[in-house]
Amino acid sequence: APAISTDPRRHFPQGFLWGSATASYQVEGAVKEGGRGPSIWDTFSHTPGKVANGDTGDVADDYYHRYKEDIALMKDIGLKTCRFSVSWSRIFPTGTGQPNQQGVDFYNRMCDSLLEAGIQPFCTLYHWDLPQTLQDKGGWENKDVAKAFADYAGYTANKLNDRVKHFMTMNEMRSFVEIGYKDGRHAPGLRLDAKRVAQLNHYVVLAHGLSVQAIRAQTKPGTKVGIADNATATAPVIETPEHIEAARKAYREENAMFLTVLMEGRYTDHYLKRLGADAPHFTPEEMKTISAPMDFVGLNVYQPEYVRADGSDKGYTVVPSPASYPHMLSPWLHVGPEGLYWSPRLCAELWNVKEIYITENGASSADVLAPDGQVYDTDRTMFLRNYLTQLQRAVAEGVPVKGYFLWSLLDNFEWADGYDKRFGITYVDFKTQKRTPKLSAKFYKQVIKENRVV
Ligand code: GBH
């Protein structure tokens, strides 16, 4: 059994990578500059009724122009690393064909500034902004898009590799598959039936595998490849052996079509049985590609799913959240700090993963500028302290978590919620673009300085 954390001061190991995360469409703006082509999020956000208040990412945080100022903020907080994403349509304006050098130059300039500030860049290749031209050809329903993604990923990793050593293929496969193509609440806003979603899901995991191979083929030895996955974080409702075992089974099954198939190279029997005639077509060769070995696993953790043992063949039942369950400003964001303990622990145990990063964790809050010009986001600060305490517990027990990326450095374009839901530790006035570090930024700065939960 793993050792219990006995450090009352809640330290992290030396060299722990403290970071923050952002994504291209959520922060960059400058959507028509530098030769960028349109993505599905430009189309979607400009379609009336799709995004709260009719907000778009046209300007967002204007990070495309202000990245130097924002990197100075990162440096002041003491960040060791920064996770950003590349906009595919800045590199290939129509998804394939002729690359756009101005796009490559932008990310290289930005990474140079990070490195000058002593901050290691971690690069995500796909954070949901598919080139519109590729959606016009069927998007992720078209197997050729999987190949196009691998070409783009390999090319881009090669161009950034002098500066970037860690690449993540995709962010949250489940989110863009299910919310974009099944529920229709995110771009491209489709509501496909179960059979089409399952086949598209298969092409998405295939695209991931193809891109792992392409990145390896086109980067130097020592470059690390992984993913930023929002694996459902199953937590035992009570920490007894039977419920822990239920959580372990649930982690595998609830993530059957995402992380589990990447790690095991096969869909679980329960998954295939549940889909029946809707199950995807696949070949053994594709399954081998999908499970191409990764160097690390990135986990985005927001809220856990509590499970209990139930004596069934499947081995678990998901416990529904009671109506009174507390959440942050976003109604979906239930407060459950132990997700940050169980998700990396179960991932490491199930698949013997040796290097894990928390690639996102953070919270929305109803932030206001106080009369003294400060933002006292005590709820976000409380949230982070509780979650980090659970992460420290995992690390102290030997779970191989090497770094943590807080979502997010800045308030930004929160997808269908527009600018309504603020996730930043830095307040952004979207009229003036003025940045104000919140109380949570001061908290995080102290955590990093002391390398422990303060
Ligand atoms: C992550 O998604 C994303 O990677 C990041 O871009 C995003 O800004 C951040 O977290 C905060 O949301 O409105 O009830 O339909 C987290 C997973 C998927 C959770 C979409 C919210 C919509 C729920 N998110 N989901 S609902």
Side-chain angles (χ1 to χ4, degrees):
I4 304 290
S5 163
T6 51
D7 174 8
R9 285 169 53 84
R10 298 180 292 184
H11 277 99
F12 281 79
Q14 255 195 352
F16 191 80
L17 282 182
W18 295 105
S20 68
T22 59
S24 46
Y25 190 70
Q26 294 180 272
V27 298
E28 284 178 4
V31 292
K32 295 204 170 124
E33 289 179 53
R36 178 185 180 278
S39 83
I40 56 174
W41 269 96
D42 297 289
T43 311
F44 191 76
S45 66
H46 281 272
T47 306
K50 298 296 185 193
V51 175
N53 308 315
D55 291 340
T56 73
D58 287 2
V59 180
D61 289 320
D62 196 30
Y63 182 78
Y64 187 80
H65 297 114
R66 294 172 197 262
Y67 65 87
K68 285 196 175 144
E69 183 192 330
D70 292 331
I71 290 168
L73 286 173
M74 297 181 205
K75 190 175 176 184
D76 181 66
I77 294 169
L79 299 188
K80 316 277 183 230
T81 179
C82 154
R83 174 177 171 233
F84 70 97
S85 85
V86 172
S87 157
W88 184 344
S89 63
R90 283 198 191 280
I91 310 294
F92 291 97
T94 57
T96 56
Q98 271 302 110
N100 168 37
Q101 186 59 38
Q102 290 181 78
V104 173
D105 291 345
F106 166 66
Y107 293 106
N108 275 334
R109 277 200 307 278
M110 204 259 288
C111 289
D112 281 340
S113 298
L114 285 169
L115 292 169
E116 272 166 39
I119 300 169
Q120 259 189 67
F122 270 53
C123 171
T124 314
L125 289 151
Y126 185 71
H127 200 123
W128 308 353
D129 41 0
L130 186 72
Q132 180 60 45
T133 314
L134 295 183
Q135 186 53 44
D136 297 341
K137 296 176 181 161
W140 295 107
E141 279 200 276
N142 180 346
K143 200 174 177 177
D144 290 341
V145 168
K147 293 180 192 135
F149 176 65
D151 290 345
Y152 147 72
Y155 176 85
T156 304
N158 173 273
K159 293 294 171 192
L160 305 190
N161 196 207
D162 282 343
R163 295 155 177 91
V164 182
K165 304 292 171 232
H166 293 80
F167 291 94
M168 287 146 287
T169 57
M170 294 178 176
N171 179 71
E172 298 196 356
M173 299 174 287
R174 185 193 294 276
S175 292
F176 71 88
V177 168
E178 295 187 351
I179 309 175
Y181 290 87
K182 188 175 89 186
D183 305 336
R185 283 180 288 104
H186 279 186
L190 299 179
R191 291 180 187 205
L192 304 180
D193 62 34
K195 191 177 177 62
R196 284 172 71 179
V197 172
Q199 192 62 49
L200 174 151
N201 188 138
H202 178 69
Y203 293 149
V204 166
V205 289
L206 179 62
H208 156 83
L210 288 168
S211 70
V212 170
Q213 295 173 337
I215 295 166
R216 284 212 197 290
Q218 294 182 63
T219 53
K220 298 177 243 188
T223 303
K224 294 196 172 182
V225 191
I227 190 165
D229 185 49
N230 59 326
T232 298
T234 57
V237 70
I238 309 170
E239 295 191 4
T240 56
E242 54 161 344
H243 295 302
I244 291 172
E245 185 50 26
R248 190 175 293 113
K249 285 186 175 141
Y251 200 83
R252 222 181 133 247
E253 286 303 339
E254 297 291 299
N255 298 303
M257 65 294 238
F258 300 110
L259 194 54
T260 304
V261 72
L262 265 46
M263 303 312 287
E264 299 184 6
R266 59 186 295 270
Y267 293 114
T268 67
D269 297 340
H270 280 289
Y271 174 69
L272 292 176
K273 203 170 131 197
R274 178 163 69 73
L275 284 183
D278 293 333
H281 295 287
F282 54 85
T283 66
E285 202 193 324
E286 286 171 355
M287 300 315 271
K288 221 178 146 210
T289 302
I290 289 168
S291 54
M294 293 188 275
D295 301 296
F296 67 90
V297 172
L299 298 169
N300 293 2
V301 181
Y302 287 91
Q303 85 286 33
E305 191 162 86
Y306 293 97
V307 302
R308 62 175 173 85
D310 66 357
S312 72
D313 160 47
K314 200 162 116 189
Y316 69 93
T317 293
V318 175
V319 179
S321 294
S324 59
Y325 206 89
H327 61 79
M328 300 302 284
L329 188 62
S330 307
W332 58 268
L333 214 179
H334 291 152
V335 178
E338 44 305 307
L340 214 40
Y341 171 78
W342 286 104
S343 187
R345 176 175 156 179
L346 294 176
C347 176
E349 281 179 4
L350 276 165
W351 301 300
N352 197 23
V353 177
K354 300 282 187 237
E355 188 169 339
I356 294 176
Y357 295 92
I358 302 303
T359 35
E360 282 183 29
N361 171 244
S364 51
S365 153
D367 302 320
V368 285
L369 280 166
D372 65 358
Q374 303 293 313
V375 178
Y376 297 100
D377 56 338
T378 49
D379 54 351
R380 178 179 291 104
T381 303
M382 167 279 294
F383 177 102
L384 293 171
R385 181 183 293 113
N386 286 327
Y387 274 66
L388 287 175
T389 298
Q390 291 289 328
L391 183 63
Q392 194 275 340
R393 178 186 168 208
V395 169
E397 291 182 6
V399 179
V401 181
K402 308 296 180 193
Y404 169 90
F405 296 82
L406 198 159
W407 184 276
S408 184
L409 178 72
L410 304 166
D411 293 336
N412 60 48
F413 178 78
E414 177 55 18
W415 307 116
D417 290 327
Y419 297 99
D420 262 5
K421 299 284 188 288
R422 296 173 178 272
F423 273 82
I425 55 171
T426 308
Y427 185 88
V428 178
D429 178 329
F430 290 104
K431 288 200 187 75
T432 61
Q433 291 293 340
K434 181 171 188 264
R435 274 81 161 132
T436 305
K438 304 176 191 175
L439 179 69
S440 55
K442 293 167 188 148
F443 163 76
Y444 196 40
K445 182 175 178 165
Q446 201 63 26
V447 167
I448 296 171
K449 191 172 158 212
E450 297 190 29
N451 202 30
R452 67 184 191 92
V453 187
V454 293

